[in-house]
Amino acid sequence: MASIDVTVIWACMIGFAVFAYVVMDGFDLGIGILFPGLKAGEERDQAMNSIAPVWDGNETWLVFGGGGLMAVFPLAYAIILPATYPLIIAMLLGLVFRGVAFEFRWRDPGHRKFWDIAFTLGSVIAALSQGITLGALLQGIRVEDDAYAGGWLDWLSPFSLLTGVSVLLGYGLLGATWLIWKTEGTAQAHARRMAFRLGIATFAALAAVSLATPFLHIDYWRRWFELPQVLLTAQVPVLTVICAGIFFQSLAKGHERMPFLMALILFLLGFVGLGISMFPYAVPQAVTIWDAAAPRASQIFLLAGAVVIVPMILAYTGWAYRVFRGKAGIEGYH
Amino acid sequence: MLARIQFAFTVSFHFIFPAISIGLASFLAVLEGLWLKTGKGVYANLFRYWLKIFAVVFGMGVVSGVVLSYQFGTNWSEFSYRAGPIIGPLMGYEVMTAFFLEAGFLGVMLFGINKVGRRLHFFATCMVALGTLISATWILSVNSWMQTPAGYAINDAGQFVPAGSWWPIVFNPSFPYRLVHTVLAAFLTTAFIVGAVGAWHLLKDRTNPGARKMFSMAMWMAALVTPLQIVAGDQHGLNTLEHQPVKVLAMEGDYQPSPEGAPLILFGFPDSEEARVRYEVAIPKLGSLILKHDFDAPLPGLIDFPRDQWPPVPIVFWSFRIMVGLGFAMLAIGLWSLVTRWRGTLYDSRWMHRAAVVMGPSGLVAVIAGWVTTEVGRQPFTVYGLMRTAESHSPLAAPAVAASLIAFVVVYFFVFGAGIYYLLRLMSKPPQRGEALLANQPHRAAGITPASGVDAASSKGG
């Protein structure tokens, strides 16, 4: 056991939870972002039907990421959250609004317009705050004596706004490609057009973030541009370009699942890129995962359960998705 | 202080929803089980009636719960850093074993009855109910550890770390009492809401079979569980006296020691400045009987403990009386229902129905009062006796916390106000024979009736 570094395993686990959250809640937040572009009535009902049974499980990964961070990297949790305080609060309030909109919009047709707006606004705010939080993390957080030492608007910068918009576009892309898969008729045609535009915008945003990141810190620069590691890291942008090619081709050919799959792979590549930039820091340039780690006993205690339970969660989550496989339709599930 | 208000505010809001959803999920599982077993349509109708209500409650519980899991970090970062190694893994287990279970099967429970068949659907309902109970178990373990910490050591960085085995941490001294007391409270809360809704519809139409059935079931719960709860509360009180004497003394308003048996103070106004209860109405010796099960047992007073370890006595004193008072009112309703049942007038006693309607929110009020008693009673500590609340918060500027507090208050009143309005509207409709599966859900919205499978199944028995 001693030769295995539990902390690294946990860093991967938290990374996995965050990734699972980003792509799963990403596509249902994306639906919210795209909602104003869909026609009221049939198109919106289809879109809502396609995520109603699963959004709740998707969002649970956010709780797992937060809870896991507190359990195994309490120092990182205690630094990052106060540093991005207004963002986190905005995200939570956004999630409150959009979460209740799922229930309320069906129950109150008189105010459906209002709850549709709440659904969109909540989703946009949540996506933006998550993106800006990512930017704030990458650009670094001021830490003194193991505690956050900055003001309450330190997170605001051109770079963090750029990452905010990028995540917003990316979630929109996930949402649009999900709709291509799960809807039919005009909603699907509509989603195709949106996916095309969002695809271009997302790749542009990804390029911009990738180019800006190495200028934030010399350490990022070294990782991405110095030999020999550039031979490894360069694979990420190369694969991204290939992914983009397949994405647009499948969209043009009218494939239904491939665009969503490519959007997922795009997120995965972006995620690997972030991992390359950040590892082994939990708070970039300030706190490594080993500094932030909880005592070994805490990490092992939770890991023992996670090894057994997480595969079970994935299994029944997969089953739930299977139950609702196929087109969402306007008439609900039969 | 602002952080404290914000946390108290969001926690009390959140707490309402799990309190209902724990009881309601089990109630739904029972209803569906009875439906499967007896084939009687009345159970299917009630199941669908309460499922709609459950969906709204659960949605609000989820969103307010997500807020909490991050507030530990935003507002209580110092606490999270120091106590994280202990309570973090427990909360991690809560997420892994309970939240995913609830969320994963909720979709099937709400939307899947025509997709998976009745047995598998019943399984999904049971999993959701089980999830709510597992969740309660872990979170009460966390809360109890903060009340009666055990099995910990403190490392060089001042963090609480596990001292060896996790068993003493999970099963800390007050955990079993707290768990039983809280779960019973959740069941009672639901029973009184269900009972009030049933009674309301009985007042309008005595013959409605759904209203009769739900009222009868709720009153059985009230009659059987309330006495159990009073016993559990008494046991919990003994446990608290052992581990948190200051809290119990504040609850009782016992400032002065009573070497020859403490009185039971029924009413009065605690005054911590003068260390006495003004205008008290008390019964001699009864306090000792309740706390020590002995008339003459001596009890210490608050003045035996350092002044800076006292909680705000009046709040604890009054919230405790509200909880206990409501508990006995519930007992009265339960006994009354037994009398009318025995006389065969359960569905005809108008006064009893009116009383049940009035008592509808009593469980919720009692749960919040009880929670205030135990949490405020723990002050001035977050980890009892070890870490003070004043040392627990984040390094944040006051304006940031104030602004977010205002945002929370506005949003919560708006969103949950709307939610409660929708809940009351759902409850004000009498249960129908052909209760639709989630009216206004997708199927209906598009103007197409739901699949015939369910209706056929229920009308066969009904």
Side-chain angles (χ1 to χ4, degrees), chain A residues 10 23 38 52 66 100 124 129 143 157 170 178 197 223-224 227 250 270 278 281-282 287 334:
Chain A
W10 263 113
V23 293
L38 296 166
V100 296
V124 170
S129 0
V143 178
S157 74
W178 167 263
R197 286 181 211 144
R223 284 178 193 209
W224 286 101
L227 283 168
S250 67
M278 278 180 63
Y281 287 99
V287 179
H334 287 270

Side-chain angles (χ1 to χ4, degrees), chain B residues 412-442:
Chain B
Y412 271 42
F413 270 109
F414 182 73
V415 168
F416 296 120
I420 289 162
Y421 168 73
Y422 293 138
L423 282 178
L424 290 176
R425 212 170 58 168
L426 282 172
M427 290 179 187
S428 71
K429 293 193 187 109
Q432 302 289 332
R433 175 157 286 219
E435 194 67 40
L437 186 77
L438 289 168
N440 296 330
Q441 277 290 344

Side-chain angles (χ1 to χ4, degrees), chain A residues 49 53 56 60 62 64 66 71 77-78 81 85 104 106-108 114-115 295 298 301-302 305 309 313 316 323-324 330 333, chain B residues 56 58 69-70 73-75 77 85 88-89 93 96 100-101 103 106-107 115 161 166 404 414 419 422 425 440 442 445-446:
Chain A
N49 273 353
D56 191 14
T60 307
L62 179 67
F64 187 46
Y77 182 80
L81 269 73
Y85 186 77
F104 293 175
W106 298 115
R107 291 185 200 290
D108 189 4
F114 172 81
W115 289 115
S298 300
F301 175 63
L302 192 58
I309 302 167
I313 293 170
Y316 65 66
V323 167
F324 299 102
I330 43 167
Y333 297 100
Chain B
V56 175
F58 197 87
S69 74
Y70 280 82
T74 53
N75 291 358
S77 64
Y93 268 104
M96 289 194 302
F100 279 112
L101 199 64
L106 182 74
K115 295 222 153 199
V161 297
W166 278 84
S404 69
F414 182 73
Y422 293 138
R425 212 170 58 168
N440 296 330

Side-chain angles (χ1 to χ4, degrees), chain A:
Chain A
M1 234 2 226
S3 62
I4 303 168
D5 192 338
V6 194
T7 307
V8 175
I9 297 176
W10 263 113
C12 296
M13 286 280 288
I14 301 277
F16 174 75
V18 172
F19 180 71
Y21 170 73
V22 164
V23 293
M24 289 166 89
D25 212 26
F27 74 74
D28 67 48
L29 283 167
I31 307 283
I33 295 163
L34 300 177
F35 225 52
L38 296 166
K39 266 209 281 305
E42 189 209 304
E43 288 194 8
R44 288 189 185 183
D45 291 350
Q46 275 198 57
M48 209 66 161
N49 273 353
S50 74
I51 50 173
V54 292
W55 75 273
D56 191 14
N58 296 347
E59 211 157 287
T60 307
W61 289 98
L62 179 67
V63 183
F64 187 46
L69 195 63
M70 178 183 180
V72 292
F73 299 112
L75 182 58
Y77 182 80
I79 290 171
I80 295 171
L81 269 73
T84 53
Y85 186 77
L87 295 171
I88 302 286
I89 302 285
M91 174 187 83
L92 295 174
L93 292 177
L95 291 177
V96 166
F97 261 106
R98 85 181 270 282
V100 296
F102 278 94
E103 284 303 324
F104 293 175
R105 93 181 271 277
W106 298 115
R107 291 185 200 290
D108 189 4
H111 292 102
R112 183 166 301 164
K113 258 193 191 140
F114 172 81
W115 289 115
D116 282 359
I117 295 170
F119 181 56
T120 299
L121 217 60
S123 306
V124 170
I125 289 173
L128 270 178
S129 0
Q130 287 170 8
I132 297 175
T133 304
L134 169 68
L137 196 59
L138 275 175
Q139 74 194 8
I141 288 172
R142 225 173 80 194
V143 178
E144 281 165 23
D145 296 334
D146 282 355
Y148 176 56
W152 58 294
L153 284 175
D154 280 12
W155 47 270
L156 191 64
S157 74
F159 178 76
S160 69
L161 291 179
L162 173 67
T163 54
V165 173
S166 308
V167 167
L168 185 68
L169 292 169
Y171 282 179
L173 177 69
L174 280 173
T177 51
W178 167 263
L179 286 180
I180 294 176
W181 182 11
K182 299 298 276 188
T183 64
E184 49 207 342
T186 60
Q188 194 193 38
H190 207 142
R192 258 181 216 293
R193 284 196 294 280
M194 292 194 288
F196 180 74
R197 286 181 211 144
L198 283 164
I200 295 174
T202 307
F203 283 110
L206 191 64
V209 173
S210 308
L211 288 176
T213 305
F215 292 97
L216 286 175
H217 201 280
I218 185 71
D219 199 42
Y220 295 150
W221 179 273
R222 280 201 199 111
R223 284 178 193 209
W224 286 101
F225 294 116
E226 262 179 23
L227 283 168
Q229 60 261 45
V230 69
L231 295 175
L232 270 177
T233 55
Q235 306 303 320
V236 177
V238 169
L239 286 172
T240 307
V241 171
I242 295 173
C243 171
I246 302 175
F247 172 77
F248 285 111
Q249 199 190 23
S250 67
L251 208 56
K253 282 191 178 163
H255 291 178
E256 289 195 333
R257 293 185 200 181
M258 196 49 100
F260 184 61
L261 187 66
M262 283 302 121
L264 289 183
I265 291 177
L266 182 67
F267 266 82
L268 183 64
L269 290 168
F271 216 72
V272 171
L274 286 176
I276 291 173
S277 295
M278 278 180 63
F279 190 83
Y281 287 99
V283 179
Q285 317 308 329
V287 179
T288 68
I289 54 173
W290 296 285
D291 299 334
R296 200 175 150 81
S298 300
Q299 294 195 339
I300 288 181
F301 175 63
L302 192 58
L303 188 64
V307 168
V308 181
I309 302 167
V310 171
M312 282 167 63
I313 293 170
L314 292 174
Y316 65 66
T317 305
W319 174 73
Y321 271 83
R322 226 183 100 75
V323 167
F324 299 102
R325 70 187 173 276
K327 299 288 182 187
I330 43 167
E331 58 280 271
Y333 297 100
H334 287 270

